[in-house]
Amino acid sequence: MRKHISLVLEPEIAFDQENFKNHLSKLLQFPADADAIVRPLKRSIDARGRQVKVNIEAEVFLDETPTPRIEFQKNYQNVSKAKQAIIVGAGPAGLFAALRMIELGVKPILLERGKDVRSRRRDLAAINKEHIVNPESNYCFGEGGAGTYSDGKLYTRSKKRGDIRRVLEIFVAHGATEEILVDAHPHIGTNKLPQLVAELRESILNAGGEVHFDTKVVDFIMQQKEIKGVILEDGREISGIGVVLATGHSARDIFELCQKKDVLIESKPYAMGVRIEHQQSLIDSLQYNCKERGKYLPAASYSLVAQTFHKGVQRGVFSFCMCPGGFIVPSATAPGELVVNGMSPSRRDSRFANSGMVVAINEIDVLPYKEFGALAGLQLQKELEQKACKMAGGGQTAPAQLVDDFIKQRTSKNLIDTSYQPGLVSMDMLEVLPDFIGKPLQDGLQQFGKKMRNYASNQAQIIGIESRTSSPVRIPRDKENLEHLEIKRLFPCGEGAGYAGGIMSAAMDGERCAEKLVEKYAKS
């Protein structure tokens, strides 16, 4: 017998497998020792009332063999002798493009400027402890891209961009827990992502694909508005039937190369601001309406948005990439820059909660940089990162201010504990940030403080600057075949090209670009 059920349960029942099975045993009146398999299908937390509830859908198999939970099978064909295509960038978009090419019978040549995940750790330790930034290996560059050292969020609203379930099943097949198939807002965690990324790489290699680390693309091989291949930093040339450009939002040299080679690019909206950090216990108490969340509820998250006006211009202020139970990390990609980002381990068990708190950048903001053309927003971003770095001492020590002090425009005499390992220095953040970011941020935080008690108090601090929310550049492509509008065989892909906003949307975009490239050029 198979039965599908929908329930609203207390957390101690919904999140404990034994309690959950016993509850269903009583509800469905089958013996607790019966040959029953209980399998959750969907699970979401409802914290709107005074008592937190969990909405859960499940299936029960009683004296019956359950159907397979996942359809995807990790059984890739060998493409070592097939036609080859080039993928630049081994982030989620690049990795999933490579796997999809293999399924479609094309050999991927995956080129990554950074190091493999294991070697990458030494450079992350250096930036945290010694303030040394390796321009080719950091929190943004390297195997798995920026997503490898993130919260590993797998939630996306991009349901029209691809098959979400398929991508999740591929993650499970490569080592992720099946819980990501169940939770409404699944995540993997920065401690588990490196091994999963390494498994994705092994699948590519075992199928005859190639993955090259410490391999930087410095030029394109172009003939009459058609890309034939790429030139590497060591002078080697690699050709293929097409190029998937999946370099991520921080590969500024690629945007500059596009501009130099007359590859059409355009500016796009983005946002910049700070990271805001609280004690996780405070966020739990606000979101769950209780003093302590207990052992069953996960670390609470939040999502906030406000509309503000500054000098007559409307500005959106919003939380971004909220990391419950997480850490703030230094994410600069060059010496002399200061960038902060957030990540969480799988258990989200840090005592800190952090989130980006950012302000939308408008066209008027980049007018002083119009000489840079489509790279105007990138130049603004770069200058603010360099300014913050210089003001804070030139290393990776970050400027910070208590939130109520920031709102009331007073310098914080003392800062509070932080997860940011390189350290903080108290500064007036209105001096670090331009007024078109700082003033709307003040207004937005005051609005959020009215919604969530103590959110905008001196129990929290802002840390700057959070500037890499998304790419300030888009590489335009055809809506149907995903090929560049002017350059044949070039497929701009993922976050760096302006078509994704996280691991899931990037992975799905990588698959789609691979499909379109193979469909158009594999038989030619």
Side-chain angles (χ1 to χ4, degrees):
M1 179 189 76
R2 176 184 177 274
K3 189 172 183 65
H4 183 280
I5 56 173
S6 298
L7 299 168
V8 179
L9 301 172
E10 291 78 13
E12 57 267 27
I13 296 176
F15 288 105
D16 186 289
Q17 183 65 22
E18 186 175 348
N19 289 344
F20 184 54
K21 183 176 179 180
N22 290 338
H23 179 82
L24 290 187
S25 174
K26 295 176 182 177
L27 182 69
L28 301 178
Q29 296 183 333
F30 63 80
D33 60 351
D35 185 15
I37 295 177
V38 178
R39 193 158 69 186
L41 297 174
K42 295 181 180 179
R43 185 169 55 213
S44 62
I45 296 173
D46 185 351
R48 292 173 295 179
R50 301 193 71 176
Q51 297 293 323
V52 178
K53 298 292 184 180
V54 181
N55 299 313
I56 190 162
E57 291 185 28
E59 55 186 354
V60 180
F61 296 90
L62 190 60
D63 298 321
E64 182 178 332
T65 302
T67 55
R69 188 160 197 167
I70 65 175
E71 296 180 5
F72 176 81
Q73 298 294 318
K74 192 170 67 170
N75 185 23
Y76 294 102
Q77 63 179 313
N78 190 286
V79 293
S80 58
K81 300 184 184 305
K83 290 182 178 180
Q84 68 182 39
I86 300 165
I87 302 169
V88 186
L95 289 168
F96 274 76
L99 291 173
R100 189 68 182 125
M101 282 183 186
I102 291 169
E103 290 179 329
L104 298 172
V106 169
K107 177 182 178 178
I109 308 297
L110 187 55
L111 308 176
E112 169 56 50
R113 67 192 299 165
K115 300 177 182 178
D116 64 90
V117 284
R118 181 178 293 275
S119 302
R120 195 176 170 189
R121 292 173 183 168
R122 289 189 289 271
D123 297 307
L124 302 187
I127 192 172
N128 275 294
K129 297 176 182 179
E130 303 171 45
H131 300 217
I132 297 172
V133 182
N134 183 334
E136 310 303 339
S137 179
N138 43 64
Y139 277 101
C140 291
F141 298 153
E143 186 176 18
T148 303
Y149 296 98
S150 70
D151 191 52
K153 296 179 186 67
L154 302 180
Y155 175 71
T156 179
R157 294 185 179 90
S158 306
K159 293 179 172 56
K160 295 182 180 180
R161 295 189 185 180
D163 189 336
I164 293 174
R165 175 75 183 200
R166 168 186 156 82
V167 172
L168 291 174
E169 289 191 7
I170 292 174
F171 278 126
V172 172
H174 288 85
T177 172
E178 290 189 358
E179 292 296 302
I180 67 172
L181 304 174
V182 177
D183 290 331
H185 290 79
H187 77 289
I188 296 176
T190 188
N191 55 317
K192 294 186 177 181
L193 277 163
Q195 182 58 40
L196 189 148
V197 167
E199 290 296 325
L200 293 172
R201 179 226 307 162
E202 286 304 307
S203 284
I204 296 169
L205 295 176
N206 291 338
E210 296 182 17
V211 181
H212 300 272
F213 298 113
D214 296 308
T215 304
K216 186 176 181 179
V217 171
V218 296
D219 205 352
F220 302 141
I221 303 172
M222 309 273 285
Q223 290 181 10
Q224 298 179 337
K225 293 291 185 178
E226 185 170 279
I227 191 165
K228 297 294 186 179
V230 298
I231 300 175
L232 307 181
E233 191 171 37
D234 61 8
R236 286 180 295 156
E237 297 184 4
I238 300 180
S239 60
I241 61 172
V243 175
V244 172
L245 196 61
T247 54
H249 59 47
S250 291
R252 291 169 171 167
D253 55 324
I254 292 295
F255 299 138
E256 292 165 355
L257 175 62
C258 286
Q259 191 176 63
K260 178 182 176 182
K261 302 286 286 190
D262 292 324
V263 175
L264 179 64
I265 58 176
E266 57 191 27
S267 61
K268 64 174 279 292
Y270 68 113
M272 292 193 289
V274 295
R275 278 266 146 188
I276 186 168
E277 187 171 56
H278 298 80
Q279 290 287 318
Q280 181 63 50
S281 57
L282 174 63
I283 302 301
D284 291 340
S285 67
L286 291 170
Q287 296 298 80
Y288 292 144
N289 299 306
C290 59
K291 289 185 178 180
E292 295 184 358
R293 73 171 188 264
K295 70 175 184 177
Y296 292 104
L297 287 171
S301 62
Y302 60 82
S303 178
L304 297 168
V305 62
Q307 293 300 323
T308 70
F309 286 86
H310 176 62
K311 295 183 178 179
V313 178
Q314 186 173 6
R315 301 274 181 176
V317 180
F318 55 95
S319 60
F320 170 82
C321 185
M322 195 271 152
C323 296
F327 306 89
I328 298 177
V329 296
S331 296
T333 52
E337 297 174 351
L338 187 62
V339 183
V340 295
N341 199 355
M343 68 180 193
S344 297
S346 59
R347 297 177 69 176
R348 290 178 166 173
D349 53 0
S350 162
R351 59 190 178 95
F352 299 99
N354 74 79
S355 176
M357 187 57 64
V358 295
V359 179
I361 302 300
N362 294 331
E363 291 183 6
I364 191 173
D365 305 327
V366 300
L367 285 178
Y369 303 92
K370 60 182 180 180
E371 66 184 279
F372 294 92
L375 301 182
L378 187 150
Q379 186 64 25
L380 168 62
Q381 181 190 64
K382 184 188 299 185
E383 286 193 9
L384 290 184
E385 293 171 1
Q386 292 172 346
K387 175 187 175 183
C389 183
K390 184 176 181 180
M391 290 183 68
Q396 292 303 300
T397 301
Q401 190 172 10
L402 301 182
V403 173
D404 190 52
D405 288 345
F406 171 69
I407 292 171
K408 295 177 179 175
Q409 299 188 39
R410 61 193 180 206
T411 302
S412 302
K413 294 181 179 179
N414 296 293
L415 299 173
I416 54 180
D417 287 348
T418 181
S419 64
Y420 185 71
Q421 193 172 351
L424 305 178
V425 57
S426 178
M427 300 189 72
D428 181 355
M429 293 300 289
L430 286 177
E431 293 184 2
V432 178
L433 301 167
D435 64 348
F436 56 81
I437 295 177
K439 293 296 185 180
L441 192 59
Q442 281 183 313
D443 190 359
L445 286 169
Q446 288 184 75
Q447 293 185 47
F448 299 148
K450 294 174 181 177
K451 295 179 182 179
M452 300 173 70
R453 184 182 179 187
N454 289 325
Y455 182 87
S457 71
N458 277 353
Q459 294 182 49
Q461 59 195 354
I462 55 173
I463 299 169
I465 64 173
E466 164 68 275
S467 52
R468 308 282 180 97
T469 57
S470 65
S471 173
V473 177
R474 177 177 286 112
I475 307 177
R477 68 188 189 188
D478 184 87
K479 290 183 179 180
E480 295 300 321
N481 64 30
L482 309 187
E483 192 172 26
H484 188 272
L485 291 181
E486 297 180 353
I487 309 299
K488 292 183 179 180
R489 299 181 186 267
L490 177 62
F491 291 80
C493 182
E495 284 202 45
Y499 299 101
I503 292 173
M504 288 296 292
S505 56
M508 290 188 291
D509 200 55
E511 289 206 323
R512 291 173 63 222
C513 285
E515 290 166 359
K516 295 299 184 180
L517 186 158
V518 172
E519 178 184 324
K520 189 168 184 180
Y521 294 112
K523 295 180 180 179
S524 60

